[in-house]
Amino acid sequence: MEVRDAGRNHTGAAPVDDTVSDLDLLRAHVTGDRDAFGELFRRHRDRLWAVALRTLGDREEAADALQDALLSAHRAADRFRGDSAVTTWLHRIVVNACLDRLRRRRAHPTVPLPDGIHGPEDGPATGGVEPAAPVPDHDTAMVVRDALASLPLEQRAALVLVDVQGYPVAEVARILGVAEGTVKSRCARGRARLAVTLGHLRPGTGPATVSRPDVPEVTGGNPKERSGVRSGSGRSRPAANQQEEA
């Protein structure tokens, strides 16, 4: 399957009824429905793209990571055990693909090209919608991206999901496969690091909060359930993970 065309119906038929559940679509894909996975991707591609973009901070890498992740999900669908929501499973695969790229990037650092202004044609090649437009204060956006990039990978992933994307801690724990306490610990440590790194942006106010659309916002967490993501019945790893080092 070509993931870059996953949002299109290959037969030209009408889209699948939105009342069909994600799990039913995944099962239909496993049994040979050629359009089911494309419909599943169409439903969730914007959130998955936003997570990839915020985690990697680079459009090209985010598009590549998202394609890698969706190909992996497409091939591994028959191994989905149903112990979490399908959306949680998809997010986990995307986050892991992003973290793999970040680990390779840190192992083999390169000099990045300037992050110029992109038009609509420079959005994700996977067919998703670009979630954030360029901002006038590009220097500030780059400072915040660089600050996020300096965090340990696990802290960065937790902060992107909780503070930037607004997912509840319980859902993030299922996505990352760790205990809720571990997510809270990673977020707290990440916020403390960002407060030091970004304190000059807003003197005397603690962690920097930037409301511009292309700058990840550092918040105090998200205590409420996010309506767009449904939690499944997945279980966190043992509480021993709560003691994990940053």
Side-chain angles (χ1 to χ4, degrees):
M1 174 185 178
E2 176 56 51
V3 174
R4 294 180 187 275
D5 295 329
R8 302 188 182 92
N9 188 307
H10 296 286
T11 64
V16 178
D17 190 338
D18 284 342
T19 61
V20 178
S21 72
D22 291 344
L23 183 57
D24 286 340
L25 284 174
L26 194 64
R27 288 172 174 168
H29 161 65
V30 171
T31 58
D33 186 332
R34 64 180 302 191
D35 297 318
F37 193 85
E39 171 64 16
L40 183 64
F41 176 43
R42 182 192 67 79
R43 288 183 180 184
H44 303 294
R45 64 186 178 189
D46 292 347
R47 289 195 297 271
L48 295 174
W49 162 249
V51 168
L53 179 61
R54 299 305 191 189
T55 303
L56 288 165
D58 178 273
R59 289 175 176 83
E60 290 298 324
E61 285 222 56
D64 288 343
L66 184 56
Q67 173 156 307
D68 289 346
L70 268 295
L71 282 171
S72 295
H74 184 271
R75 293 165 179 163
D78 60 339
R79 298 196 294 275
F80 177 69
R81 298 188 303 273
D83 56 357
S84 66
V86 173
T87 51
T88 300
W89 177 71
L90 289 173
H91 276 75
R92 183 182 303 131
I93 294 174
V94 170
V95 169
N96 286 338
C98 292
L99 293 179
D100 285 345
R101 284 183 172 270
L102 287 171
R103 292 185 185 102
R104 291 197 297 270
R105 182 194 296 175
R106 291 189 175 185
H108 305 284
T110 58
V111 178
L113 294 175
D115 187 8
I117 300 300
H118 294 263
E121 70 277 7
D122 295 313
T126 52
V129 177
E130 178 76 26
V135 295
D137 192 351
H138 198 63
D139 289 342
T140 301
M142 292 184 68
V143 167
V144 177
R145 289 195 196 104
D146 288 345
L148 276 173
S150 71
L151 294 176
L153 301 186
E154 290 78 10
Q155 292 177 16
R156 181 175 183 176
L159 275 178
V160 166
L161 290 168
V162 175
D163 285 358
V164 180
Q165 295 305 124
Y167 296 145
V169 169
E171 183 71 13
V172 174
R174 284 186 284 269
I175 291 172
L176 298 179
V178 299
E180 292 184 31
T182 301
V183 174
K184 293 176 182 178
S185 174
R186 290 176 180 178
C187 286
R189 293 178 182 178
R191 291 177 195 129
R193 289 173 182 259
L194 290 182
V196 173
T197 306
L198 301 177
H200 65 283
L201 295 181
R202 296 187 64 180
T205 61
T209 300
V210 185
S211 60
R212 300 180 181 86
D214 198 35
V215 181
E217 180 174 325
V218 180
T219 72
N222 184 61
K224 299 181 180 179
E225 284 286 331
R226 181 181 177 91
S227 59
V229 177
R230 295 170 293 178
S231 297
S233 59
R235 297 182 295 275
S236 300
R237 291 180 183 174
N241 283 333
Q242 296 181 23
Q243 305 301 321
E244 179 177 340
E245 293 296 329

